């Protein structure tokens, strides 16, 4: 995170951020310089507008912005807070990794939804196939039991005749 204090004229009074943070400032030593000379051209206007809003309304302002880099887009979240009569604090957080994770989560949820829909469709198809097979089996067993009644009666009749004659 970057923590920056500026005065009402936009002069940086204090600036702290990790050396590893890639926030695309134009200079390394910011104290005493005009904020708008130290930030990327792509975002100057949004910062100017937000700082003026905070100075005028005396309330904080939150916004997100992105910077187009050579191979990718970086995302940031900024909060501008009025401090004293003539000082404003800015907190800037690199949200690029969070955005990547959110996108991966959305993609994963979409894939899960598609897989779930596919599974439900397959279950419905298999259930319909089983119902059809059950009906065919039921018709077959009815047909077999009906077709075997007459021969079984004949066998039963012959067996009773044989049983009576030889008992």
């Amino acid at each position: 995170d970057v923590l920056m204090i500026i005065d009402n004229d936009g002069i940086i009074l204090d600036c702290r951020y990790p050396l590893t943070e890639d926030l695309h400032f134009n200079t390394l030593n910011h104290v005493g310089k005009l904020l708008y000379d130290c930030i990327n051209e792509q975002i100057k206007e949004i910062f100017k507008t937000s700082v003026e809003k905070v100075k005028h309304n005396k309330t904080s302002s939150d916004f997100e912005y992105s910077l187009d880099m050579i191979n990718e887009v970086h995302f940031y979240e900024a909060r501008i807070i009025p401090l004293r009569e003539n000082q404003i604090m800015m907190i800037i957080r690199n949200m690029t990794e969070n955005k990547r994770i959110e996108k991966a989560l959305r993609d994963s949820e979409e894939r899960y939804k598609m897989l779930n829909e596919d599974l439900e469709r397959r279950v419905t198809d298999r259930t319909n196939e089983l119902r059809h097979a059950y009906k065919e089996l039921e018709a077959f067993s009815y047909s077999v039991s009906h077709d075997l009644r007459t021969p079984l009666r004949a066998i039963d009749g012959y067996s009773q005749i044989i049983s009576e004659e030889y008992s």
Side-chain angles (χ1 to χ4, degrees):
D1 293 1
V2 172
L3 174 64
M4 193 179 300
I5 309 256
I6 63 171
D7 65 12
N8 278 344
D9 296 325
I11 302 297
I12 299 172
L13 303 175
D14 192 10
C15 182
R16 298 166 193 256
Y17 61 92
L19 293 176
T20 59
E21 191 69 42
D22 184 16
L23 293 163
H24 308 287
F25 285 105
N26 295 338
T27 64
L28 293 175
N29 185 10
H30 306 302
V31 176
K33 297 189 177 178
L34 186 61
L35 169 69
Y36 310 115
D37 291 340
C38 299
I39 59 177
N40 191 298
E41 287 293 324
Q42 297 177 43
I43 57 173
K44 279 185 184 182
E45 203 53 48
I46 191 169
F47 271 87
K48 282 181 182 179
T49 304
S50 296
V51 167
E52 288 303 316
K53 179 180 163 187
V54 168
K55 286 187 333 190
H56 183 266
N57 296 339
K58 304 289 186 209
T59 60
S60 63
S61 174
D62 299 336
F63 60 94
E64 293 184 2
Y65 63 95
S66 61
L67 291 173
D68 295 324
M69 299 300 143
I70 295 170
N71 293 328
E72 64 181 334
V73 176
H74 288 255
F75 298 93
Y76 300 91
E77 175 183 75
R79 173 170 278 182
I80 303 175
I81 306 164
L83 288 179
R84 299 182 194 98
E85 187 62 33
N86 61 351
Q87 290 184 353
I88 296 170
M89 179 171 61
M90 300 174 69
I91 302 168
I92 302 169
R93 175 171 285 159
N94 187 335
M95 301 296 290
T96 304
E97 189 61 27
N98 292 27
K99 294 289 185 174
R100 278 191 200 117
I101 291 169
E102 287 174 6
K103 183 183 181 321
L105 182 59
R106 279 192 307 273
D107 292 348
S108 176
E109 286 174 346
E110 184 62 32
R111 187 174 186 307
Y112 170 77
K113 184 179 176 184
M114 288 172 40
L115 288 172
N116 192 36
E117 288 171 356
D118 182 53
L119 181 61
E120 285 183 17
R121 181 191 51 77
R122 290 171 54 193
V123 165
T124 301
D125 291 348
R126 293 285 163 28
T127 301
N128 290 336
E129 288 173 9
L130 284 172
R131 282 188 182 130
H132 181 70
Y134 179 76
K135 286 181 181 178
E136 285 181 353
L137 186 60
E138 196 174 54
F140 175 75
S141 66
Y142 176 79
S143 173
V144 166
S145 68
H146 187 272
D147 291 348
L148 289 177
R149 259 188 212 146
T150 305
L152 286 174
R153 276 193 203 131
I155 292 171
D156 183 47
Y158 286 124
S159 65
Q160 281 191 2
I161 293 172
I162 292 172
S163 174
E164 287 174 6
E165 284 186 21
Y166 294 104
S167 29

